[in-house]
Amino acid sequence: MAKSSSKVSTQEKEEILNILKSRFETNKQHHKGLEWDKIEEKLGENPDKIWSLIQMEKTEGEPDLVKFDTKEKVYIFMDCSPESPKGRRSLCYDRKALDARKQHKPTNSAMDIANEMGIEILNENQYRELQETGEFDLKTSSWILTPDDVRSKGGALFCDRRYGKVFTYHNGADSYYAARGFRGILKI
């Protein structure tokens, strides 16, 4: 996938805006005091971000507005699908891990796909913040942005929710599982 807002048709733009507006209205408790018209205006000023939201939707991430960051003055969208997005599973963590695999390579890596989509992978704090808005990854897990000191030793981090708690684990960055994907964040 090559990032390109020029490939967004008017119909695609209208469809994603309708989806996002519906989720916005359904989940008003996540963003009290915000008005959809202002968000839609901001989206209209950022066609590349609309393209990224379309990619999030196409890969079954169910992007939704989670909050407005008053410090950075940005709207924050995250993947809010109940389980790790289906279209982004069975991936190792990054390109280095993918290249290191000699057998049974997955099709891609989480970091490469996030980059292609124009989004970032949630870090641990963002993942925990998302979990405060609902219960996610009850059956799946999601890679999270891994600190350099862990990644330099060959590992990568992932999270899930079990027993009413959010857990952070480690694994070899070259591992991949059918039930592990990644969740993205997009700031607009």
Side-chain angles (χ1 to χ4, degrees):
M1 281 186 269
K3 186 177 173 187
S4 173
S5 62
S6 63
K7 293 185 179 181
V8 175
S9 70
T10 303
Q11 181 180 348
E12 286 176 312
K13 181 179 176 181
E14 288 175 8
E15 285 175 6
I16 194 67
L17 289 176
N18 286 335
I19 290 167
L20 295 171
K21 182 179 182 180
S22 175
R23 286 188 187 132
F24 178 84
E25 291 171 350
T26 301
N27 300 310
K28 287 186 178 184
Q29 72 278 10
H30 298 162
H31 34 70
K32 292 178 183 172
L34 298 181
E35 299 173 26
W36 175 252
D37 292 342
K38 290 181 180 179
I39 298 159
E40 189 170 1
E41 181 180 326
K42 188 79 166 180
L43 286 166
E45 296 167 359
N46 293 280
D48 285 344
K49 304 290 185 171
I50 290 175
W51 184 87
S52 293
L53 287 163
I54 290 169
Q55 302 316 303
M56 292 170 81
E57 185 68 21
K58 282 182 177 178
T59 55
E60 301 183 51
E62 299 179 26
D64 194 8
L65 179 69
V66 175
K67 73 175 193 172
F68 179 75
D69 186 312
T70 55
K71 288 181 183 177
E72 291 185 49
K73 304 284 188 226
V74 293
Y75 294 102
I76 296 178
F77 287 83
M78 292 184 186
D79 288 308
C80 293
S81 54
E83 301 298 337
S84 197
K86 288 181 185 176
R88 292 185 246 147
R89 294 186 193 167
S90 296
L91 305 166
C92 60
Y93 179 71
D94 61 10
R95 173 62 48 183
K96 182 178 177 184
L98 182 63
D99 291 345
R101 278 196 80 94
K102 301 299 179 208
Q103 296 180 336
H104 311 294
K105 286 188 179 202
T107 57
N108 210 333
S109 75
M111 293 296 285
D112 283 348
I113 290 179
N115 186 50
E116 291 167 6
M117 293 172 64
I119 63 175
E120 297 175 20
I121 292 179
L122 296 179
N123 63 35
E124 184 175 3
N125 290 337
Q126 292 163 338
Y127 186 90
R128 289 180 181 281
E129 187 175 337
L130 175 65
Q131 289 283 2
E132 291 174 11
T133 70
E135 294 187 351
F136 303 95
D137 289 335
L138 299 176
K139 299 175 186 171
T140 58
S141 61
S142 295
W143 288 115
I144 60 170
L145 195 60
T146 299
D148 291 339
D149 63 330
V150 173
R151 184 62 196 97
S152 67
K153 295 175 181 134
L157 303 178
F158 66 97
C159 292
D160 64 21
R161 184 182 195 107
R162 302 291 191 271
Y163 313 109
K165 296 190 180 292
V166 177
F167 292 93
T168 302
Y169 310 89
H170 61 89
N171 216 173
D174 63 343
S175 64
Y176 65 98
Y177 301 93
R180 182 174 308 147
F182 73 91
R183 293 179 179 276
I185 182 171
L186 183 68
K187 298 177 182 180
I188 302 173

